[in-house]
Amino acid sequence: MCQKLRLAVLFGGCSTEYPVSLQSAHAVLTHLDPEKYEVYPLGITRQGQWLLYTGPLEALPADTWYQDARHTCPAVLSPDRSTCGLLVLDPAGVRTLPLDAAFPVLHGKNGEDGTVQGLLELAGIPLVGCGLCSSALCMDKDLAHRLAALAGVEVPPSALFRSGDSWEALPRRTGSLRYPLFVKPARAGSSFGVSRVETPAGLESAVRAALAHDSKVLVEEAIPGFEVGCAILGTQGLTVGQVDEIELKEGFFDYTEKYQLITSRIHMPARISPGKAEEIKRAARKVYWALECSGFARVDMFLTPDGRVVFNEVNTIPGFTSHSRYPSMMQGIGLEFAPLLDRLIALAVET
């Protein structure tokens, strides 16, 4: 029998998207083949404590996983490459757990933005998904848009505002933009702090609200049409899933709509022609390469009424429940959830 691959699955984290990470990690952990993997669930509490978790997986979505001391032990990733694994801080002393790979199932800040990826790269532990550089670039909507535009993909007209800038500069910088506008924290995930502004009267308050989440704010023109997504898998040769479509009844695709779908629907595959789907996939590949992505990512774009494909953002660790958009798009080309995880892990180990 082949030796099992030793895999740490990181979940939780100091992020507003902590609850989503618990849902994603539960799905990942329950679909990993125990015949193939020796899995070490490594949870990060909201307060930033790292704990090796050995209890029932049902405690993850319930967010009770850290409460029973019988099932948790402090543990950290060692940056020392001679360890190449975890340092478990047992009451009897420190012990090591060597790792073959790590799978960060973390969303948003302090997990999807290059911080954890940098630690894994420093430690010499192969990681599932994008590395430090691409994770940081994709989290920064301003930088991502600049690089996508250089790659020849259309992006929304926008302006930048930073904490400490003069408020008198705001109307001047945004004067050429056409309303309605979207105001977004440049480096926050899942639409926290995002506002739709219909007139100049609401602009300053929207920027102030965004600054509560990040010191850098992007103000961009709203793009008519609807959002489409493209799931990509690979580091050299790329596998591209079916294109999906978000149908909005009202408002915009904020955090509540993303995870509860109260007034919106997701169509997979998107209700578009095969030719337009191929055009979206080509644009998504360009963005994926331009932002140095590897492993996997979901590239989100807009499709306008006149057929233009406009870049929106890249999620380097998209939602990963069995019904989330990324796995659903891959399922659309025949790649089921458990084999998808195997492919992702194999890419990390082989790269």
Side-chain angles (χ1 to χ4, degrees), residues 150-202:
L150 288 173
V153 178
E154 184 177 351
V155 300
S158 65
L160 197 63
F161 193 84
R162 298 177 185 270
S163 176
D165 286 351
S166 169
W167 288 102
E168 295 177 355
L170 181 60
R172 182 174 67 253
R173 292 181 191 173
T174 58
S176 63
L177 302 179
R178 294 179 298 177
Y179 284 80
L181 303 175
F182 275 104
V183 178
K184 306 176 178 181
R187 297 163 295 203
S190 281
S191 304
F192 285 105
V194 176
S195 303
R196 180 183 170 101
V197 180
E198 301 293 338
T199 66

Side-chain angles (χ1 to χ4, degrees), residues 25-69:
H26 179 264
V28 168
L29 288 163
T30 54
H31 283 83
L32 288 171
D33 187 345
E35 296 297 317
K36 298 178 181 177
Y37 307 106
E38 187 72 38
V39 181
Y40 302 110
L42 185 59
I44 307 170
T45 68
R46 290 181 185 270
Q47 293 73 37
Q49 184 181 15
W50 292 51
L51 298 169
L52 181 64
Y53 178 66
T54 58
L57 296 179
E58 291 69 28
L60 267 68
D63 194 20
T64 57
W65 64 274
Y66 58 89
Q67 295 178 357
D68 191 337

Side-chain angles (χ1 to χ4, degrees), residues 28 34 54 81-82 97 141 149 159 174 198 223 227 239 244 247 273 312 319 326 332 336 339:
V28 168
T54 58
R81 290 193 172 211
S82 65
L97 283 178
K141 296 178 178 67
T174 58
E198 301 293 338
I223 302 299
E227 187 173 328
T239 300
D244 76 354
E247 179 187 9
S273 70
N312 181 23
Y326 184 96
E336 298 294 332

Side-chain angles (χ1 to χ4, degrees), residues 62-196:
D63 194 20
T64 57
W65 64 274
Y66 58 89
Q67 295 178 357
D68 191 337
R70 296 174 301 172
H71 299 311
T72 59
C73 184
V76 293
L77 287 165
S78 171
D80 188 332
R81 290 193 172 211
S82 65
T83 303
C84 201
L86 295 174
L87 298 177
V88 183
L89 312 180
D90 282 328
V94 178
R95 61 186 173 95
T96 61
L97 283 178
L99 296 175
D100 297 305
F103 192 163
V105 187
L106 301 161
H107 305 305
K109 287 185 176 181
N110 302 307
E112 195 176 354
D113 55 2
T115 49
V116 168
Q117 290 76 12
L119 176 56
L120 288 166
E121 290 179 12
L122 185 67
I125 299 170
L127 70 105
V128 177
C130 293
L132 186 162
C133 178
S134 57
S135 297
L137 286 173
C138 291
M139 180 61 73
D140 191 316
K141 296 178 178 67
D142 170 49
L143 297 180
H145 280 207
R146 292 171 189 264
L147 289 172
L150 288 173
V153 178
E154 184 177 351
V155 300
S158 65
L160 197 63
F161 193 84
R162 298 177 185 270
S163 176
D165 286 351
S166 169
W167 288 102
E168 295 177 355
L170 181 60
R172 182 174 67 253
R173 292 181 191 173
T174 58
S176 63
L177 302 179
R178 294 179 298 177
Y179 284 80
L181 303 175
F182 275 104
V183 178
K184 306 176 178 181
R187 297 163 295 203
S190 281
S191 304
F192 285 105
V194 176
S195 303
R196 180 183 170 101

Side-chain angles (χ1 to χ4, degrees), residues 289-304:
W289 292 129
L291 295 175
E292 299 286 343
C293 294
S294 59
F296 72 102
R298 193 189 74 228
V299 182
D300 295 337
M301 290 167 287
F302 299 107
L303 181 60
T304 68

Side-chain angles (χ1 to χ4, degrees), residues 236-290:
Q236 295 177 345
L238 300 184
T239 300
V240 183
Q242 289 271 22
V243 176
D244 76 354
E245 167 199 344
I246 297 170
E247 179 187 9
L248 283 176
K249 297 295 185 183
E250 58 186 62
F252 62 95
F253 207 48
D254 61 9
Y255 181 83
T256 302
E257 284 297 337
K258 282 183 180 181
Y259 298 110
Q260 298 184 32
L261 297 178
I262 296 172
T263 65
S264 58
R265 292 181 62 192
I266 295 175
H267 299 275
M268 205 301 300
R271 300 170 298 175
I272 57 179
S273 70
K276 188 56 66 176
E278 286 304 315
E279 182 182 346
I280 290 167
K281 290 177 183 180
R282 286 195 297 272
R285 289 188 190 96
K286 286 184 180 180
V287 170
Y288 191 88
W289 292 129

